Amino acid sequence: MTRAPLLIPLAALAFLTAASAPEAPRPDPIAALKARLEKGLDHLKFEDNAFGYLKDLLAHLGVNPDSQMLVYSKTSFQSDLIGPDKPRSVFFNDTVAVGYVQGSRTLELMTATAAEGYAFYSLDNDPAAPRFVRYQDSTCGRCHGADNYAPGLIVASSPVAADGTPVFIPSDGPPRLFNFTDQTTPFAERWSGWYVTGTHGAATHQGNGAVVYSEDGQRRPGAANTQNLMSLADKFDTRTYLSPHADIVALMTFEHQARMTNMLLGAGAAARRGGFPRTQLEDLLAYMLFVDEAPFPAPVAGTSGFTQSFPAKAPRDAKGRALRDFDLTTRLFKYPLSYMIYSASFDALPADARTEIYTALYAILTGADTSPRFARLTRDDRKAILEILQTTKSDLPPAWKKAAL
Ligand code: HEC
């Protein structure tokens, strides 16, 4: 495929370059909480039920239980405790993800932190005291990325048997367990091994056991009643969960965010090693701008309230527009630029890499970059994104302030 130049000549854009801001420290909210607890400055409430610290932990980390996703594939750390009758809960916000497994004392936590990539923790659900352990060896890294970057956060639609046992995917290399999914994955290929609540019209997905795989990798139809579910009560005992929902909008948002975070951390790592190749920059921008997003076959609606709570605290421009506003009719977001541009992961990019991203993004939004890869963005999209950023992002290079479409 031929591509028109993404960057207009650098000399012409030199005036756009942001003053080299010092690299912002990337806070690790889990380490901060751990320190406050150890110093006796804070307290986590232990509930004398299956949840233990879970509820108060989420409250302290600013994670809303309506973000709950439920995954029953036996593909993770505590897989022997996980199955279709006991799916694992995963909760998230922009910086933290928390895993909770029924019948386990170990809560699993991940955050994108400092320059080191991801940080992995467990929290022992012990009434005596909340004890965090940080893992810097292969305990978590053997799946989440030995180098702490790739793949990092994981969302995968992995072939599983009816009981959640993964079936290896043959490949040219070693057989794989994960079919990673993101916003570019066609709807019909998503969510094998996950529960999903919400409506999506005539579109079908592989969640809720709709598809099962036999050991030889053959795919066949699975359970009945798997699409457009408002409740999972006939699948497992939802009363033992913090929330009965596995909200489709939360899942699609996390699917976007997981890959976006992995890409931002990957860009930071590359830049620190001394190279942020142009292809990596283009791929990052294409993902940020949703240009390869799989179109929605039908409108989507969630069940948990996530659709309302997620945009509630968003930075908004004078017209009330925010990058966190959902569309959900033909695409995930109304204004197709990732809200992760406000995240700690973005802010922690080395200043030069951030400047390169801003410079290239500016060229795309103002129409100076006409490469076909970004042609899907309409003029209205570009104009809205530019205007939203102009009033909600404080570290833009000076030229952005004046630009108008
Ligand atoms: C055997 C592979 C494996 C190991 C080891 C593993 N995980 Fe995971 N983890 C996964 C997979 C796969 C997912 C995605 C959800 C799923 O399929 O269960 C996941 C998801 C998560 C999530 C939710 C965010 C996300 O990436 O989707 C957290 C938090 C998490 N793991 C924490 C940990 C921690 C902490 C450790 C180490 C104590 C760990 N994991 C070890 C495979 C693993």
Side-chain angles (χ1 to χ4, degrees), residues 75-77 88 90 97 108-109 121 139-140 143-144 153-154 178:
T75 38
S76 68
F77 182 53
R88 173 162 81 134
V90 178
E108 299 165 43
L109 297 97
Y121 294 87
T139 309
C140 313
C143 296
H144 289 280
L153 291 167
I154 303 175
F178 307 130

Side-chain angles (χ1 to χ4, degrees), residues 81-92:
L81 294 173
I82 298 167
D85 57 338
K86 275 184 300 178
R88 173 162 81 134
S89 308
V90 178
F91 306 91
F92 72 100

Side-chain angles (χ1 to χ4, degrees), residues 315-323 325 335 383-384 387-388 392:
R316 293 186 178 277
D317 73 0
K319 293 185 182 157
R321 299 174 297 186
L323 296 182
D325 289 342
Y335 311 105
K383 184 171 158 59
E387 289 171 3
I388 293 170
T392 59

